[in-house]
Amino acid sequence: MTIQWFPGHMAKARRQVTEKIKLIDIVFELVDARIPMSSRNPMIDEIISTKPRIVLLNKADKADDFITKQWISYFKEQNIPAIAIDAQTGTGLKQITALSKVLLKEKFDKMAAKGIKPRAIRALIIGIPNVGKSTLINRLAKRNITKTGDRPGVTTAQQWVKVGTELELLDTPGILWPKFEDELVGYKLATTGAIKDAILNLQDITVFALRFLKDHYPNRLQERYNLEELPEEIVSLFDEIGKKRGCMMQGGYIDYDKTSELILREIRADKLGRLSFETPSQFDHED
Ligand code: G4P
């Protein structure tokens, strides 16, 4: 799904999320573990405000484990609990309810002290398109999707999905926009497949990806494309991969679009192994 984010859409998305946040106890902010900063909404802190939150580093199965651990520490240092998960297979999901209970203990203890009947923790999943929100909701809900119906006093009808007995989720996630005005963010989103290739130039995306791999995962590049050594120039790297894989045009020229498609397809299919495209150290100076 490609959403065109215009100012009107962004304002509407924000309004909808703000309304939903009023109904819940805790926000699950879903990001892509390979690009946790670039796959966030730029106004997320302001939108979530003081509501408790857990950052869920999804698609951790595709990310570099070592870097994911660094990201978990990075968020922890900012007092934001973070968990690495894989919504597709369910890895890490058990921790979500357990951690939510810890974070909300005080609130629920206070409610109990006031004589309020115990109830399930209410949560909302928020994230930019394609981070895995629907996959996560379906996975958490398992087969026993139970719609508990509308809540009185709520203007827009919201459906709740039970996750075990202790947690319930709003069945539609909060969808927010990425920081797309930043070119680098765009390239990272495109490389990981979060945005359609047509939005950015295919060869530019591949230049970004190759440059990143050359700097951070040179051995993986060499191994995958059987390269004795990595050429200095990115164009030469393109040429070598194109030649090795037979991405040629008439006259013996390299077909750069075909080469780009091949490289990006292989990165997204984890053919170069598990990769992370940003590290906390790249963001330290911004804090
Ligand atoms: P959204 O609601 O946030 O927009 O995302 P959605 O659940 O539709 O997930 C987007 C794609 O990401 C889906 O692939 C989904 O299977 C995949 N995905 C979600 N969570 C995980 C995860 O933890 N690990 C992995 N490896 N993949 C995950 P898709 O439908 O095949 O779309 P696409 O691959 O063609 O983009």
Side-chain angles (χ1 to χ4, degrees):
M1 173 181 46
T2 314
I3 298 178
Q4 295 291 327
W5 293 104
F6 297 113
H9 294 157
M10 284 156 60
K12 189 173 174 204
R14 183 175 178 164
R15 247 189 340 265
Q16 285 177 341
V17 167
T18 307
E19 281 307 308
K20 287 178 180 191
I21 284 180
K22 289 183 191 156
L23 309 173
I24 50 111
D25 302 303
I26 188 163
V27 171
F28 300 149
E29 185 196 349
L30 202 57
V31 299
D32 187 317
R34 296 167 292 176
I35 46 168
M37 297 305 264
S38 296
S39 57
R40 296 183 103 183
N41 171 272
M43 300 176 78
I44 194 73
D45 291 342
E46 208 182 300
I47 293 170
I48 293 180
S49 185
T50 55
K51 204 55 92 166
R53 141 178 49 171
I54 301 175
V55 167
L56 301 176
L57 298 156
N58 192 38
K59 307 193 189 184
D61 55 306
K62 299 173 84 67
D64 185 330
D65 240 348
F66 181 71
I67 309 289
T68 300
K69 288 196 177 86
Q70 289 182 8
W71 278 114
I72 290 173
S73 308
Y74 172 88
F75 283 111
K76 201 172 163 191
E77 276 164 24
Q78 298 179 20
N79 285 321
I80 303 175
I83 308 175
I85 63 163
D86 169 358
Q88 226 169 30
T89 62
T91 306
L93 302 196
K94 278 207 183 106
Q95 295 175 74
I96 297 176
T97 306
L99 186 55
S100 300
K101 280 170 73 178
V102 172
L103 294 174
L104 291 167
K105 188 176 182 310
E106 210 179 307
K107 176 175 177 176
F108 277 68
D109 281 352
K110 272 188 193 154
M111 280 161 53
K114 283 187 197 155
I116 298 171
K117 216 170 113 216
R119 61 163 174 81
I121 291 171
R122 293 175 191 149
L124 170 68
I125 291 171
I126 288 184
I128 65 167
N130 278 320
V131 281
K133 297 178 298 298
S134 322
T135 309
L136 179 60
I137 292 174
N138 289 334
R139 189 82 212 178
L140 283 172
K142 291 193 190 135
R143 263 153 263 111
N144 58 347
I145 289 189
T146 312
K147 303 251 166 112
T148 55
D150 301 349
R151 299 279 151 139
V154 177
T155 44
T156 45
Q158 300 284 349
Q159 300 284 342
W160 297 83
V161 169
K162 278 196 186 300
V163 183
T165 52
E166 297 175 302
L167 182 68
E168 53 188 37
L169 290 176
L170 274 178
D171 75 341
T172 51
I175 305 172
L176 291 170
W177 62 96
K179 193 182 172 188
F180 48 75
E181 70 277 11
D182 180 331
E183 208 172 45
L184 192 57
V185 168
Y187 289 138
K188 289 177 185 173
L189 289 168
T191 301
T192 54
I195 58 174
K196 293 271 177 285
D197 291 337
I199 294 174
L200 293 168
N201 179 286
L202 191 67
Q203 293 177 23
D204 285 347
I205 302 166
T206 315
V207 167
F208 159 79
L210 284 180
R211 218 175 253 152
F212 186 89
L213 293 173
K214 190 168 170 279
D215 289 346
H216 296 86
Y217 299 98
N219 300 341
R220 308 264 194 103
L221 256 183
Q222 278 183 275
E223 249 170 62
R224 178 73 198 165
Y225 299 108
N226 214 357
L227 307 167
E228 299 239 319
E229 52 188 77
L230 290 177
E232 270 302 306
E233 297 287 327
I234 291 297
V235 177
S236 312
L237 185 54
F238 239 118
D239 286 351
E240 286 210 28
I241 298 174
K243 252 185 258 166
K244 290 241 153 123
R245 290 306 184 85
C247 303
M248 310 297 286
M249 296 192 293
Q250 267 189 346
Y253 297 106
I254 306 288
D255 186 333
Y256 289 107
D257 273 345
K258 208 168 161 190
T259 311
S260 299
E261 277 166 18
L262 177 130
I263 295 169
L264 292 175
R265 191 172 57 240
E266 297 205 338
I267 290 173
R268 292 171 191 159
D270 306 334
K271 299 284 188 206
L272 285 90
R274 294 166 64 178
L275 303 167
S276 293
F277 289 92
E278 57 194 18
T279 62
S281 58
Q282 293 162 334
F283 294 87
D284 281 348
H285 62 281
E286 287 179 12
D287 296 324

